[in-house]
């Protein structure tokens, strides 16, 4: 059974700092890995999708990497802003219907 | 472009009452459809998924059921709600027969059973 772990569970940084969120998974037989953002009381917004054959994806200040063999992914956020404050979720897709298994999330707070 | 609609946004229901949450997708055909639940302080749990009309797979035993009467419509139901059914319900879709397109989620329904 796939298990996805995210470290740290919570993180508080001052504005402008670069930061790294970590995600690990136990079964490397995945189709893809997706990073989402969730604001309080809201749905999930997709940030980046990495196919199993890819090593990384970039969108603006965000960069996600994937090391499938070691079961790890990182989300790098450059020059953090207060608007980046949210919970970040990592999810791996595998199996029938490419079902997603989610990590428990990292709650990020960027302070002024 | 593809869009996913989920309603209602918020629902307060008494214990023992029925439930019907609806999700529809526009701008795509033959999608995989999913229902997830996020209980307070817990992660996202897959409840049901569907790869076609009338095809429903359940991931966990529970008080809920799902149906897919049309290609782009996914319904989550219960005959009698329990307090433990409270949570944030999210519908999602992905491209069928592809692992590389990722998921798109709806805006969610917050259900409180009182």
């Amino acid at each position: 059974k796939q298990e996805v772990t995210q470290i740290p569970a919570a993180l508080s940084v001052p504005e402008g700092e670069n930061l790294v969120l970590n995600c690990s998974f136990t079964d490397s037989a995945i189709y893809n890995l997706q990073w989402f953002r969730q604001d309080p009381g809201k749905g999930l917004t997709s940030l980046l999708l990495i196919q199993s054959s890819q090593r990384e994806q970039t969108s603006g200040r965000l960069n996600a990497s994937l090391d499938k063999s070691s079961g790890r992914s990182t989300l790098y956020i450059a020059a953090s802003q207060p608007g980046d404050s949210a919970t970040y979720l990592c999810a791996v897709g595998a199996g029938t219907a490419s079902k997603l298994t989610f990590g428990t999330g990292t709650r990020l707070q960027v302070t002024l | 472009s593809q869009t996913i609609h989920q309603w209602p946004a918020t629902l307060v229901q008494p214990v023992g009452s029925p439930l019907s949450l609806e999700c529809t997708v526009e701008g795509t055909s033959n999608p995989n459809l999913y229902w997830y639940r996020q209980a307070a302080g817990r992660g996202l749990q897959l409840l049901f998924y569907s790869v076609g009309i009338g095809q429903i797979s359940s991931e966990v035993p529970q008080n809920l059921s799902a149906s897919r009467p049309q290609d782009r419509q996914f319904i989550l139901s219960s005959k009698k709600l329990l307090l433990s059914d409270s949570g944030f319900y999210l519908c999602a879709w992905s491209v069928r027969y592809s692992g590389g397109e990722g998921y798109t989620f709806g805006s969610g329904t917050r259900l409180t059973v009182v």
Side-chain angles (χ1 to χ4, degrees):
Chain A
K1 178 184 175 183
Q2 179 76 269
E3 293 183 3
V4 182
T5 304
Q6 290 186 246
I7 295 174
L11 182 63
S12 181
V13 300
E15 181 180 14
E17 275 204 6
N18 303 325
L19 58 101
V20 174
L21 308 182
N22 297 290
C23 172
S24 62
F25 48 95
T26 55
D27 187 346
S28 62
I30 65 172
Y31 294 140
N32 54 44
L33 184 143
Q34 203 165 354
W35 283 93
F36 294 90
R37 168 186 172 138
Q38 186 176 30
D39 293 289
K42 303 295 184 181
L44 274 63
T45 300
S46 179
L47 297 174
L48 289 165
L49 168 69
I50 309 177
Q51 316 252 10
S52 62
S53 59
Q54 296 175 327
R55 298 283 293 183
E56 66 177 344
Q57 283 288 331
T58 298
S59 176
R61 295 183 293 109
L62 305 179
N63 175 276
S65 67
L66 173 64
D67 184 343
K68 199 172 79 163
S69 61
S70 67
R72 295 179 182 177
S73 175
T74 61
L75 178 67
Y76 175 82
I77 303 177
S80 59
Q81 303 171 358
D84 295 330
S85 298
T87 296
Y88 290 80
L89 294 163
C90 163
V92 296
T96 305
S98 191
K99 293 176 288 183
L100 281 183
T101 301
F102 280 85
T104 49
T106 294
R107 186 179 302 173
L108 172 65
Q109 183 174 10
V110 181
T111 58
L112 290 171
Chain B
S1 62
Q2 302 92 351
T3 56
I4 179 168
H5 302 282
Q6 194 178 337
W7 67 92
T10 306
L11 194 58
V12 180
Q13 292 284 96
V15 169
S17 65
L19 173 74
S20 180
L21 302 181
E22 189 162 343
C23 172
T24 60
V25 180
E26 296 178 359
T28 187
S29 297
N30 304 317
N32 289 335
L33 296 171
Y34 313 85
W35 278 111
Y36 280 82
R37 178 171 60 199
Q38 188 175 38
R42 302 181 64 179
L44 278 147
Q45 181 185 39
L46 178 62
L47 302 177
F48 300 96
Y49 68 92
S50 172
V51 298
I53 296 174
Q55 300 180 59
I56 308 296
S57 296
S58 174
E59 286 293 291
V60 293
Q62 58 203 311
N63 184 43
L64 303 168
S65 62
S67 62
R68 185 171 178 173
Q70 301 180 39
D71 181 47
R72 289 170 288 180
Q73 183 184 29
F74 205 22
I75 298 172
L76 184 69
S77 303
S78 174
K79 292 182 179 179
K80 291 184 178 181
L81 283 169
L82 306 172
L83 287 175
S84 58
D85 292 324
S86 293
F88 192 46
Y89 290 82
L90 289 156
C91 179
W93 76 274
S94 71
V95 175
R96 196 184 299 180
Y97 306 128
S98 169
E101 297 293 332
Y103 276 42
T104 300
F105 280 82
S107 54
T109 295
R110 183 159 304 282
L111 171 67
T112 303
V113 182
V114 297

